[in-house]
Amino acid sequence: MFSIGEIIFILVTCAIFMALVAAVSYYMTKGNVGTADEYFLAGRGLTGVFIAGSLVLTNLSAEQLIGLNGQSFANNMSGMAWEVTAGLAAIIMAIFLLPKFLGIGISTVPEFLSKRYDETVRRMTVILFLLGYMCVTIPSMLYSGGVAVLQLFDLPELLNITYTQALWLTIWFVGIIGAIYAIFGGLRAVAVSDTLNGIGLVIIGFLVPILGFIMLGDGSMVQGMKHIVQNSPEKLNAIGSSDDNVPFFSIFTGIIFANLFYWALNQYVIQRALGAKNLAEGQKGVLFTGYLKLLVPIFMLLPGLIAFHMYGDSIRDSDLSYPTLVSDVLPIWMLGFFLAVLFGAVLSSFNSILNSVATLLVLDIYKPVFNPEASDDKLIKVSKILGIFIALVSFFVAPFLMYAPNGLWNLIRQFTGFFNIPILVIVLMGMLFKRIPSIAAKVVIGFHVIAYYMMVWGFRQIFDWDPGINYIHVYGILLAIEVAFMLIMAKAKPLQTIKPVFYAESGEDHLVPWKHAIPASITLIMAILLVYVVFSPIGLAYEHAAVSNWFWPSVAVLVVANIILYIVSIKFWHKKYSSYVEKQTEAARESRISGD
């Protein structure tokens, strides 16, 4: 328990850092939110650095600091599958989808669905997004931040109030600050503040496990690292079994699709990429994000393992392992900085989603339905009003997540299953097959919501029967069914007239791909494989030594393969890829002209 003087010092240093971030963000964005394009998409002028910084911090929030470390504390490293394999989705987004999205010139994913299918599909998708964001995604971020603050300062005892009262107080405090960023600053302010907070997150993210290893090793970082390798090495295994929360094969049956939705179609994530200055900058930002995700196991999972070795069974709630470790290993003079970074991570994700939800409501519901001729000033004003309403709803929902039965992380992933797979299916199938009718997309959305509920909860609640299928596998099962249905509909009831998806007018270099897009993608794939080799039974999870005899030969194979493929891609594949993008763009422009 901290003294009053220590708490004041922590809060003052926290306020100084947060004020510095706010001041820099204001200075870099003042006077730049006069148009709707600037407010919602940063004037389509974001560079790769700001895109990557904003994407990473939008994704890395307190729910992951708390939830993933809680999973590694209770189980093993298998939870890293959600993070490390995100690079595969980033590659698909950068190479295949981003050229199409930037060429079309859309501001939201539902806007594309309107062009490809019809307005009903657009609105059904917006409803899915909004329900997921307001009822689960935003509240979970506020809740996880509140839990961390409560554990760090023991607010119930400090303020002489109950735990529930302290949680409500913290959630509202964090939420109000985040809402101010998003509602009044627009996307550019969010992106700048995200990047600055991201620097702090990386610093703290590395410091906590380093100091944790030092404490575990009685002053020696090396001894601390040896301790977790030599004692319970199975905890370092990322190859999850069927009994783990994240079975390894669920990467291929569900996680890869969930990640593809998140990094390629999730509005509050791709809005940064849609705001790119050009295709090259967008690809740089998206692919660099994939590389940054490889660092996640260091500060999102290793601290949980360190906490397991330090505290064991003394911590009954695994979600409290990370904040407990932080309060023990960080010196007082750094806790203010940590608190600022924690707030920054929460605010980043919260204000990013809030900005994107307002974008969906204004551009996909309000403008096309209620006021097609609305001015930019009117759109921004309505967006701010809707943002305030959404924020208030989230403030009331967030505290009730304390009653989640299986931990925060599982709850979030289970509920996102309601909307990630159907949106992924109808977007990708709509791009790949031009004859699929709009009725197929509508049926897929309705079917998925009902079928997913029944397979994950309904059969157990209504019929007292458990199918025994991990919810991640349900992702893959329903995806296969829905893809098959859309293909059947394309044959049985095909569109008689193909609707051209018009391309936006742009400069000559707007859709020129980044020269190193293909080589960087190859290296990213090899890096993902390398991380799995490290955290596997032939790597650090080997029971009889630090690593097995297969470890170094496996690493050598990956390095040699990467060098060969990198050289080939520079010499041959980049030219072919550039030609492919150019042909796609030209064909789309011709369809626009003929459509006119």
Side-chain angles (χ1 to χ4, degrees):
M1 181 63 184
F2 302 112
S3 67
I4 296 297
E6 290 173 332
I7 291 175
I8 293 175
F9 177 80
I10 292 171
L11 293 177
V12 169
T13 53
C14 169
I16 291 173
F17 182 78
M18 293 185 69
L20 178 63
V21 171
V24 173
S25 300
Y26 172 76
Y27 175 78
M28 296 183 68
T29 60
K30 64 179 180 179
N32 288 329
V33 290
T35 67
D37 204 37
E38 173 62 41
Y39 185 82
F40 296 119
L41 289 170
R44 300 186 189 269
L46 293 178
T47 59
V49 172
F50 284 112
I51 292 171
S54 188
L55 282 174
V56 169
L57 203 66
T58 295
N59 173 248
L60 301 182
S61 188
E63 90 229 23
Q64 286 165 297
L65 283 171
I66 303 300
L68 278 177
N69 280 303
Q71 278 206 348
S72 63
F73 177 90
N75 298 288
N76 51 27
M77 294 284 286
S78 59
M80 82 176 194
W82 289 106
E83 306 300 318
V84 173
T85 61
L88 300 176
I91 291 170
I92 296 174
M93 172 61 174
I95 302 299
F96 175 67
L97 293 175
L98 190 58
K100 294 181 179 292
F101 286 152
L102 291 182
I104 296 170
I106 60 172
S107 300
T108 68
V109 170
E111 184 181 352
F112 165 76
L113 295 175
S114 172
K115 294 175 182 289
R116 173 56 182 84
Y117 296 108
D118 58 32
E119 284 294 309
T120 302
V121 174
R122 179 184 198 173
R123 287 164 202 151
M124 290 176 72
T125 307
V126 171
I127 291 172
L128 283 180
F129 271 125
L130 295 181
L131 290 177
Y133 288 167
M134 284 195 297
C135 297
V136 180
T137 310
I138 298 177
S140 68
M141 293 167 180
L142 296 176
Y143 169 76
S144 57
V147 168
V149 172
L150 289 181
Q151 183 67 15
L152 188 63
F153 290 110
D154 194 8
L155 287 185
E157 182 177 336
L158 180 66
L159 302 177
N160 194 27
I161 56 178
T162 66
Y163 177 88
T164 301
Q165 290 171 334
L167 186 61
W168 277 83
L169 179 65
T170 308
I171 286 172
W172 277 73
F173 174 74
V174 174
I176 289 172
I177 295 176
I180 292 172
Y181 263 104
I183 295 171
F184 299 103
L187 180 60
R188 190 184 296 273
V190 170
V192 173
S193 63
D194 284 355
T195 303
L196 297 174
N197 282 319
I199 297 172
L201 180 64
V202 170
I203 294 172
I204 286 294
F206 281 101
L207 268 180
V208 171
I210 289 172
L211 295 176
F213 279 130
I214 292 173
M215 181 173 286
L216 184 62
D218 294 325
S220 171
M221 178 178 171
V222 175
Q223 289 303 316
M225 296 173 74
K226 285 184 178 179
H227 181 87
I228 69 167
V229 172
Q230 295 172 353
N231 297 276
S232 301
E234 70 279 0
K235 298 280 288 184
L236 289 163
N237 187 17
I239 313 297
S241 68
S242 58
D243 296 327
D244 289 315
N245 288 330
V246 186
F248 179 72
F249 286 105
S250 67
I251 293 174
F252 311 102
T253 60
I255 289 178
I256 192 170
F257 305 119
N259 274 335
L260 184 56
F261 164 80
Y262 185 92
W263 292 102
L265 301 176
N266 199 351
Q267 179 63 31
Y268 76 87
V269 173
I270 70 163
Q271 195 163 332
R272 281 101 193 99
L274 294 179
K277 183 178 180 180
N278 51 46
L279 176 59
E281 291 297 325
Q283 289 180 324
K284 291 176 187 176
V286 172
L287 291 174
F288 187 45
T289 300
Y291 281 95
L292 292 176
K293 292 290 286 181
L294 298 177
L295 301 176
V296 167
I298 297 176
F299 48 90
M300 296 289 186
L301 289 135
L302 281 182
L305 295 184
I306 295 170
F308 169 81
H309 287 281
M310 289 179 61
Y311 309 119
D313 296 334
S314 63
I315 295 180
R316 295 187 178 182
D317 185 349
S318 60
D319 284 341
L320 297 179
S321 60
Y322 185 75
T324 301
L325 180 67
V326 167
S327 63
D328 285 345
V329 302
L330 286 184
I332 291 294
W333 62 270
M334 286 204 66
L335 284 176
F337 180 56
F338 168 77
L339 186 60
V341 168
L342 179 68
F343 275 138
V346 175
L347 297 179
S348 168
S349 297
F350 173 61
N351 58 30
S352 297
I353 298 177
L354 198 58
N355 178 271
S356 297
V357 171
T359 302
L360 288 170
L361 283 171
V362 169
L363 299 185
D364 290 305
I365 299 293
Y366 174 75
K367 183 176 181 179
V369 177
F370 299 104
N371 195 350
E373 304 301 322
S375 65
D376 285 357
D377 289 340
K378 182 66 174 179
L379 293 177
I380 294 173
K381 180 180 179 180
V382 172
S383 174
K384 292 177 179 179
I385 294 172
L386 292 173
I388 293 171
F389 170 76
I390 295 162
L392 289 173
V393 172
S394 302
F395 296 168
F396 282 104
V397 173
F400 293 99
L401 294 181
M402 72 174 79
Y403 303 111
N406 297 316
L408 180 65
W409 187 253
N410 272 349
L411 178 72
I412 297 168
R413 289 294 168 261
Q414 286 176 336
F415 271 90
T416 54
F418 276 111
F419 60 92
N420 56 7
I421 297 302
I423 294 175
L424 176 68
V425 169
I426 64 176
V427 171
L428 293 187
M429 296 298 288
M431 282 185 173
L432 295 173
F433 300 95
K434 297 179 180 180
R435 295 288 181 183
I436 295 177
S438 61
I439 185 63
K442 298 168 190 174
V443 171
V444 162
I445 293 174
F447 164 78
H448 182 91
V449 171
I450 297 171
Y452 183 79
Y453 165 74
M454 293 302 297
M455 294 183 72
V456 178
W457 293 285
F459 286 122
R460 190 164 53 250
Q461 294 173 347
I462 299 173
F463 303 107
D464 195 27
W465 174 66
D466 187 355
I469 304 174
N470 187 289
Y471 73 93
I472 305 175
H473 293 315
V474 175
Y475 287 4
I477 293 171
L478 292 183
L479 180 138
I481 294 172
E482 290 156 15
V483 165
F485 172 75
M486 295 196 84
L487 289 175
I488 291 172
M489 290 294 288
K491 293 289 186 181
K493 195 176 181 180
L495 279 176
Q496 298 303 310
T497 303
I498 297 176
K499 297 173 64 177
V501 179
F502 298 160
Y503 262 49
E505 295 289 354
S506 57
E508 292 183 1
D509 63 341
H510 183 68
L511 293 178
V512 174
W514 181 36
K515 180 179 179 179
H516 297 284
I518 300 293
S521 299
I522 292 170
T523 302
L524 180 54
I525 292 173
M526 295 301 173
I528 293 171
L529 295 175
L530 179 59
V531 171
Y532 264 97
V533 169
V534 171
F535 294 104
S536 74
I538 69 170
L540 296 178
Y542 186 59
E543 294 185 359
H544 307 294
V547 294
S548 77
N549 292 332
W550 287 99
F551 178 75
W552 291 112
S554 300
V555 171
V557 169
L558 291 176
V559 171
V560 172
N562 184 70
I563 293 172
I564 294 173
L565 292 175
Y566 192 98
I567 294 172
V568 171
S569 66
I570 286 287
K571 288 188 174 182
F572 304 106
W573 294 340
H574 170 68
K575 187 177 295 185
K576 291 183 178 180
Y577 175 64
S578 297
S579 176
Y580 162 78
V581 173
E582 184 178 347
K583 289 179 181 178
Q584 291 288 313
T585 304
E586 188 59 35
R589 283 174 178 156
E590 289 177 1
S591 72
R592 175 179 62 80
I593 295 171
S594 62
D596 290 339

PDB file of all heavy atoms in Angstrom, residues 540-558:
ATOM      1  N   LEU A 540      12.301 -23.421 -26.290  1.00  0.00           N
ATOM      2  CA  LEU A 540      12.406 -23.157 -24.853  1.00  0.00           C
ATOM      3  C   LEU A 540      11.538 -24.076 -24.001  1.00  0.00           C
ATOM      4  O   LEU A 540      11.778 -24.197 -22.791  1.00  0.00           O
ATOM      5  CB  LEU A 540      12.044 -21.702 -24.574  1.00  0.00           C
ATOM      6  CG  LEU A 540      12.971 -20.645 -25.190  1.00  0.00           C
ATOM      7  CD1 LEU A 540      12.461 -19.243 -24.874  1.00  0.00           C
ATOM      8  CD2 LEU A 540      14.400 -20.820 -24.683  1.00  0.00           C
ATOM      9  N   ALA A 541      10.531 -24.700 -24.588  1.00  0.00           N
ATOM     10  CA  ALA A 541       9.662 -25.599 -23.825  1.00  0.00           C
ATOM     11  C   ALA A 541      10.206 -27.028 -23.772  1.00  0.00           C
ATOM     12  O   ALA A 541       9.530 -27.931 -23.274  1.00  0.00           O
ATOM     13  CB  ALA A 541       8.255 -25.608 -24.430  1.00  0.00           C
ATOM     14  N   TYR A 542      11.421 -27.239 -24.266  1.00  0.00           N
ATOM     15  CA  TYR A 542      12.056 -28.564 -24.216  1.00  0.00           C
ATOM     16  C   TYR A 542      12.361 -28.917 -22.765  1.00  0.00           C
ATOM     17  O   TYR A 542      12.941 -28.116 -22.020  1.00  0.00           O
ATOM     18  CB  TYR A 542      13.334 -28.546 -25.036  1.00  0.00           C
ATOM     19  CG  TYR A 542      14.020 -29.889 -25.186  1.00  0.00           C
ATOM     20  CD1 TYR A 542      13.347 -30.956 -25.760  1.00  0.00           C
ATOM     21  CD2 TYR A 542      15.336 -30.074 -24.762  1.00  0.00           C
ATOM     22  CE1 TYR A 542      13.981 -32.191 -25.922  1.00  0.00           C
ATOM     23  CE2 TYR A 542      15.967 -31.293 -24.919  1.00  0.00           C
ATOM     24  CZ  TYR A 542      15.288 -32.355 -25.489  1.00  0.00           C
ATOM     25  OH  TYR A 542      15.923 -33.568 -25.637  1.00  0.00           O
ATOM     26  N   GLU A 543      11.991 -30.095 -22.334  1.00  0.00           N
ATOM     27  CA  GLU A 543      12.047 -30.450 -20.910  1.00  0.00           C
ATOM     28  C   GLU A 543      13.431 -30.826 -20.408  1.00  0.00           C
ATOM     29  O   GLU A 543      13.710 -30.719 -19.217  1.00  0.00           O
ATOM     30  CB  GLU A 543      11.074 -31.608 -20.619  1.00  0.00           C
ATOM     31  CG  GLU A 543       9.611 -31.227 -20.816  1.00  0.00           C
ATOM     32  CD  GLU A 543       8.681 -32.351 -20.415  1.00  0.00           C
ATOM     33  OE1 GLU A 543       9.195 -33.430 -20.010  1.00  0.00           O
ATOM     34  OE2 GLU A 543       7.458 -32.172 -20.496  1.00  0.00           O
ATOM     35  N   HIS A 544      14.342 -31.274 -21.300  1.00  0.00           N
ATOM     36  CA  HIS A 544      15.597 -31.864 -20.832  1.00  0.00           C
ATOM     37  C   HIS A 544      16.795 -30.927 -20.925  1.00  0.00           C
ATOM     38  O   HIS A 544      17.877 -31.255 -20.457  1.00  0.00           O
ATOM     39  CB  HIS A 544      15.891 -33.152 -21.609  1.00  0.00           C
ATOM     40  CG  HIS A 544      14.751 -34.129 -21.579  1.00  0.00           C
ATOM     41  ND1 HIS A 544      14.342 -34.752 -20.413  1.00  0.00           N
ATOM     42  CD2 HIS A 544      13.920 -34.566 -22.565  1.00  0.00           C
ATOM     43  CE1 HIS A 544      13.322 -35.552 -20.683  1.00  0.00           C
ATOM     44  NE2 HIS A 544      13.039 -35.454 -21.982  1.00  0.00           N
ATOM     45  N   ALA A 545      16.634 -29.784 -21.569  1.00  0.00           N
ATOM     46  CA  ALA A 545      17.730 -28.815 -21.694  1.00  0.00           C
ATOM     47  C   ALA A 545      17.122 -27.480 -22.101  1.00  0.00           C
ATOM     48  O   ALA A 545      15.898 -27.331 -22.166  1.00  0.00           O
ATOM     49  CB  ALA A 545      18.754 -29.287 -22.721  1.00  0.00           C
ATOM     50  N   ALA A 546      17.990 -26.486 -22.344  1.00  0.00           N
ATOM     51  CA  ALA A 546      17.485 -25.178 -22.748  1.00  0.00           C
ATOM     52  C   ALA A 546      16.701 -25.287 -24.053  1.00  0.00           C
ATOM     53  O   ALA A 546      15.593 -24.754 -24.178  1.00  0.00           O
ATOM     54  CB  ALA A 546      18.631 -24.185 -22.901  1.00  0.00           C
ATOM     55  N   VAL A 547      17.272 -25.976 -25.056  1.00  0.00           N
ATOM     56  CA  VAL A 547      16.600 -26.247 -26.325  1.00  0.00           C
ATOM     57  C   VAL A 547      16.999 -27.641 -26.792  1.00  0.00           C
ATOM     58  O   VAL A 547      18.012 -28.202 -26.334  1.00  0.00           O
ATOM     59  CB  VAL A 547      16.964 -25.208 -27.418  1.00  0.00           C
ATOM     60  CG1 VAL A 547      16.434 -23.829 -27.050  1.00  0.00           C
ATOM     61  CG2 VAL A 547      18.465 -25.159 -27.649  1.00  0.00           C
ATOM     62  N   SER A 548      16.223 -28.209 -27.731  1.00  0.00           N
ATOM     63  CA  SER A 548      16.545 -29.544 -28.225  1.00  0.00           C
ATOM     64  C   SER A 548      17.575 -29.457 -29.354  1.00  0.00           C
ATOM     65  O   SER A 548      17.920 -28.373 -29.834  1.00  0.00           O
ATOM     66  CB  SER A 548      15.282 -30.237 -28.735  1.00  0.00           C
ATOM     67  OG  SER A 548      14.920 -29.718 -30.012  1.00  0.00           O
ATOM     68  N   ASN A 549      18.026 -30.612 -29.797  1.00  0.00           N
ATOM     69  CA  ASN A 549      19.013 -30.663 -30.886  1.00  0.00           C
ATOM     70  C   ASN A 549      18.425 -30.225 -32.224  1.00  0.00           C
ATOM     71  O   ASN A 549      19.175 -29.935 -33.165  1.00  0.00           O
ATOM     72  CB  ASN A 549      19.559 -32.093 -31.023  1.00  0.00           C
ATOM     73  CG  ASN A 549      20.392 -32.509 -29.832  1.00  0.00           C
ATOM     74  OD1 ASN A 549      21.005 -31.670 -29.168  1.00  0.00           O
ATOM     75  ND2 ASN A 549      20.415 -33.807 -29.530  1.00  0.00           N
ATOM     76  N   TRP A 550      17.112 -30.185 -32.323  1.00  0.00           N
ATOM     77  CA  TRP A 550      16.461 -29.777 -33.563  1.00  0.00           C
ATOM     78  C   TRP A 550      16.314 -28.259 -33.679  1.00  0.00           C
ATOM     79  O   TRP A 550      15.969 -27.752 -34.747  1.00  0.00           O
ATOM     80  CB  TRP A 550      15.057 -30.409 -33.655  1.00  0.00           C
ATOM     81  CG  TRP A 550      15.094 -31.871 -33.937  1.00  0.00           C
ATOM     82  CD1 TRP A 550      14.973 -32.895 -33.049  1.00  0.00           C
ATOM     83  CD2 TRP A 550      15.267 -32.486 -35.227  1.00  0.00           C
ATOM     84  NE1 TRP A 550      15.058 -34.113 -33.674  1.00  0.00           N
ATOM     85  CE2 TRP A 550      15.239 -33.884 -35.026  1.00  0.00           C
ATOM     86  CE3 TRP A 550      15.440 -31.992 -36.519  1.00  0.00           C
ATOM     87  CZ2 TRP A 550      15.379 -34.795 -36.066  1.00  0.00           C
ATOM     88  CZ3 TRP A 550      15.577 -32.891 -37.559  1.00  0.00           C
ATOM     89  CH2 TRP A 550      15.540 -34.265 -37.330  1.00  0.00           C
ATOM     90  N   PHE A 551      16.560 -27.545 -32.595  1.00  0.00           N
ATOM     91  CA  PHE A 551      16.270 -26.109 -32.582  1.00  0.00           C
ATOM     92  C   PHE A 551      17.125 -25.341 -33.585  1.00  0.00           C
ATOM     93  O   PHE A 551      16.604 -24.646 -34.470  1.00  0.00           O
ATOM     94  CB  PHE A 551      16.482 -25.546 -31.171  1.00  0.00           C
ATOM     95  CG  PHE A 551      16.258 -24.056 -31.088  1.00  0.00           C
ATOM     96  CD1 PHE A 551      14.978 -23.537 -31.108  1.00  0.00           C
ATOM     97  CD2 PHE A 551      17.333 -23.170 -31.003  1.00  0.00           C
ATOM     98  CE1 PHE A 551      14.759 -22.170 -31.041  1.00  0.00           C
ATOM     99  CE2 PHE A 551      17.130 -21.812 -30.939  1.00  0.00           C
ATOM    100  CZ  PHE A 551      15.838 -21.306 -30.951  1.00  0.00           C
ATOM    101  N   TRP A 552      18.437 -25.419 -33.475  1.00  0.00           N
ATOM    102  CA  TRP A 552      19.308 -24.607 -34.336  1.00  0.00           C
ATOM    103  C   TRP A 552      19.234 -24.997 -35.813  1.00  0.00           C
ATOM    104  O   TRP A 552      19.234 -24.118 -36.682  1.00  0.00           O
ATOM    105  CB  TRP A 552      20.746 -24.659 -33.831  1.00  0.00           C
ATOM    106  CG  TRP A 552      20.906 -23.945 -32.514  1.00  0.00           C
ATOM    107  CD1 TRP A 552      21.191 -24.483 -31.303  1.00  0.00           C
ATOM    108  CD2 TRP A 552      20.738 -22.536 -32.300  1.00  0.00           C
ATOM    109  NE1 TRP A 552      21.214 -23.516 -30.328  1.00  0.00           N
ATOM    110  CE2 TRP A 552      20.951 -22.310 -30.910  1.00  0.00           C
ATOM    111  CE3 TRP A 552      20.434 -21.450 -33.123  1.00  0.00           C
ATOM    112  CZ2 TRP A 552      20.857 -21.040 -30.353  1.00  0.00           C
ATOM    113  CZ3 TRP A 552      20.342 -20.195 -32.567  1.00  0.00           C
ATOM    114  CH2 TRP A 552      20.559 -19.995 -31.204  1.00  0.00           C
ATOM    115  N   PRO A 553      19.132 -26.295 -36.148  1.00  0.00           N
ATOM    116  CA  PRO A 553      18.924 -26.622 -37.571  1.00  0.00           C
ATOM    117  C   PRO A 553      17.629 -26.028 -38.118  1.00  0.00           C
ATOM    118  O   PRO A 553      17.584 -25.574 -39.271  1.00  0.00           O
ATOM    119  CB  PRO A 553      18.882 -28.159 -37.580  1.00  0.00           C
ATOM    120  CG  PRO A 553      19.693 -28.556 -36.385  1.00  0.00           C
ATOM    121  CD  PRO A 553      19.413 -27.514 -35.360  1.00  0.00           C
ATOM    122  N   SER A 554      16.572 -26.006 -37.303  1.00  0.00           N
ATOM    123  CA  SER A 554      15.300 -25.431 -37.738  1.00  0.00           C
ATOM    124  C   SER A 554      15.439 -23.930 -37.994  1.00  0.00           C
ATOM    125  O   SER A 554      14.921 -23.402 -38.994  1.00  0.00           O
ATOM    126  CB  SER A 554      14.212 -25.668 -36.681  1.00  0.00           C
ATOM    127  OG  SER A 554      14.018 -27.052 -36.460  1.00  0.00           O
ATOM    128  N   VAL A 555      16.166 -23.252 -37.114  1.00  0.00           N
ATOM    129  CA  VAL A 555      16.396 -21.819 -37.281  1.00  0.00           C
ATOM    130  C   VAL A 555      17.198 -21.561 -38.558  1.00  0.00           C
ATOM    131  O   VAL A 555      16.891 -20.637 -39.333  1.00  0.00           O
ATOM    132  CB  VAL A 555      17.138 -21.242 -36.058  1.00  0.00           C
ATOM    133  CG1 VAL A 555      17.571 -19.795 -36.323  1.00  0.00           C
ATOM    134  CG2 VAL A 555      16.257 -21.312 -34.820  1.00  0.00           C
ATOM    135  N   ALA A 556      18.219 -22.383 -38.785  1.00  0.00           N
ATOM    136  CA  ALA A 556      19.058 -22.214 -39.978  1.00  0.00           C
ATOM    137  C   ALA A 556      18.249 -22.383 -41.264  1.00  0.00           C
ATOM    138  O   ALA A 556      18.417 -21.624 -42.231  1.00  0.00           O
ATOM    139  CB  ALA A 556      20.212 -23.213 -39.941  1.00  0.00           C
ATOM    140  N   VAL A 557      17.357 -23.362 -41.295  1.00  0.00           N
ATOM    141  CA  VAL A 557      16.513 -23.597 -42.469  1.00  0.00           C
ATOM    142  C   VAL A 557      15.649 -22.371 -42.759  1.00  0.00           C
ATOM    143  O   VAL A 557      15.520 -21.929 -43.911  1.00  0.00           O
ATOM    144  CB  VAL A 557      15.628 -24.841 -42.259  1.00  0.00           C
ATOM    145  CG1 VAL A 557      14.556 -24.925 -43.354  1.00  0.00           C
ATOM    146  CG2 VAL A 557      16.484 -26.104 -42.274  1.00  0.00           C
ATOM    147  N   LEU A 558      15.051 -21.795 -41.714  1.00  0.00           N
ATOM    148  CA  LEU A 558      14.202 -20.617 -41.892  1.00  0.00           C
ATOM    149  C   LEU A 558      14.993 -19.423 -42.412  1.00  0.00           C
ATOM    150  O   LEU A 558      14.535 -18.686 -43.289  1.00  0.00           O
ATOM    151  CB  LEU A 558      13.518 -20.257 -40.567  1.00  0.00           C
ATOM    152  CG  LEU A 558      12.442 -21.231 -40.068  1.00  0.00           C
ATOM    153  CD1 LEU A 558      11.932 -20.802 -38.699  1.00  0.00           C
ATOM    154  CD2 LEU A 558      11.287 -21.296 -41.058  1.00  0.00           C
TER     155      LEU A 558
END
